[in-house]
Amino acid sequence: MLSKKNSKISSSITLSITAKAKKMKNEGEDVISFGAGEPDFNTPKNIRDAAIKVIEGGQIGYTASSGLPELKRVICDKFYRDNRLDYEIENIVVSNGAKHALFNTFQAICNEGDEIILPIPYWVSYPELVKMAGAKPVLVETREEDGFKYTKERLLNAINKNTKAILLNSPNNPTGTVYGKEELQEIAEIAVENGIYIISDEIYEKLIYSGRHISIASLGDKIKDLTIVINGVSKCYAMTGWRIGYAACNKEIAKIMTNIQSHATSNPNTVAQYASIEALSGNQDAIDKMVDAFIHRRDYMVKKVNSINNLSCRRPEGAFYVMVNISKIIGKKLNGTEIKGSMDFAQYLLDTVKVAVIPGIGFGNDNYIRLSYATGLENIKEGLKRIEEAIK
């Protein structure tokens, strides 16, 4: 008999849809994909050059399992500079991407029967990562009219003696939601009063379009000690394939995570670690250029979506996704195809107009689809034009 626990793990809908769209495109079909969870920009040259220098210098052996001390120091500097958070290198664990950092986190803090509070919509991997740790995901619905944010009432109703942590993702995938200081303070007070960990996924930290990012860990020593901050270089530095993420937390949790990683994967990619030192400490102009491009694309996409009959969306404050409300289409027929939910609608768009979108059911809400604007503006214009024609 195979593993009962892991046999229940679902595949990633986002990755499967994206793979199908790529396959169609490779076969010569004119597919436009809104599925990408990665910037469509090249990794900045200074970062690429740093990697080449390391490769040519031969510094590519094993490192400490939790990451290069030099990289950890740069990460500590980044936290102090950007978030006013004071960490030592013993608080930092560098992993094979932010998803790996999340995996380590759940493995380190969870016991059988523990509960982790997740928001709906959620990033597709959150519930599965919780299950892999032997814990139970407890889903709390967030409403569009509330900006897809936790409310105090709903959080308190979800907490019980088995609650181990609240997961917070700001800026958020898939909604683009960004939590403000007062909202974070309210969540922090709940966590401190109940002795609950906060897992704060801040991977889209620098892709924020007004104001500045606030880490919940910066709101006081008590909440800092309860918070595991997850971040990385993939989204903000266009380094998705380099696979470097990191966690910052109290030393006891960091030690357990390090031990887990030492047996599971050893160290993260050595070349990518050196490149990440340059990413975090070098010239940051490339981020500003990406943000400017994303703002322009977002504004076009939001305006266009809201002009299409039976579709609507709110304006995201960060990341590079738009959650499109398709509830007015569900239950109707489009060219003879009955749309029972977001999977039907996504399949209909791919089959009829060669547009790939991510169905909202993968994020826990069947009334939506997710569109990524991490693609060129011309693609966005053509793709939305095709969606409008498909609905007409």
Side-chain angles (χ1 to χ4, degrees), residues 174-287:
T175 66
T177 290
V178 174
Y179 282 81
K181 185 175 182 178
E182 290 183 4
E183 295 160 334
L184 292 172
Q185 190 69 59
E186 192 169 66
I187 295 171
E189 289 171 2
I190 291 172
V192 171
E193 287 172 8
N194 291 275
I196 297 170
Y197 289 114
I198 295 288
I199 302 167
S200 186
D201 184 349
E202 304 178 13
I203 190 66
Y204 293 95
E205 171 189 10
K206 294 184 182 295
L207 302 181
I208 192 168
Y209 305 126
S210 62
R212 69 180 188 89
H213 171 76
I214 299 172
S215 176
I216 193 170
S218 68
L219 300 181
D221 291 339
K222 290 182 179 179
I223 190 61
K224 179 189 175 188
D225 191 56
L226 287 170
T227 300
I228 302 106
V229 180
I230 306 295
N231 211 322
V233 298
S234 60
K235 310 297 184 180
C236 301
Y237 296 97
M239 293 177 69
T240 49
W242 297 71
R243 308 313 302 138
I244 295 293
Y246 52 86
C249 51
N250 70 49
K251 294 178 183 179
E252 184 179 6
I253 296 174
K255 183 177 179 180
I256 296 173
M257 292 171 69
T258 297
N259 290 341
I260 292 168
Q261 183 163 296
S262 69
H263 293 292
T265 62
S266 297
N267 64 276
N269 181 286
T270 301
V271 175
Q273 287 190 70
Y274 280 107
S276 297
I277 292 174
E278 174 62 26
L280 293 168
S281 62
N283 189 291
Q284 305 290 298
D285 291 348
I287 295 176

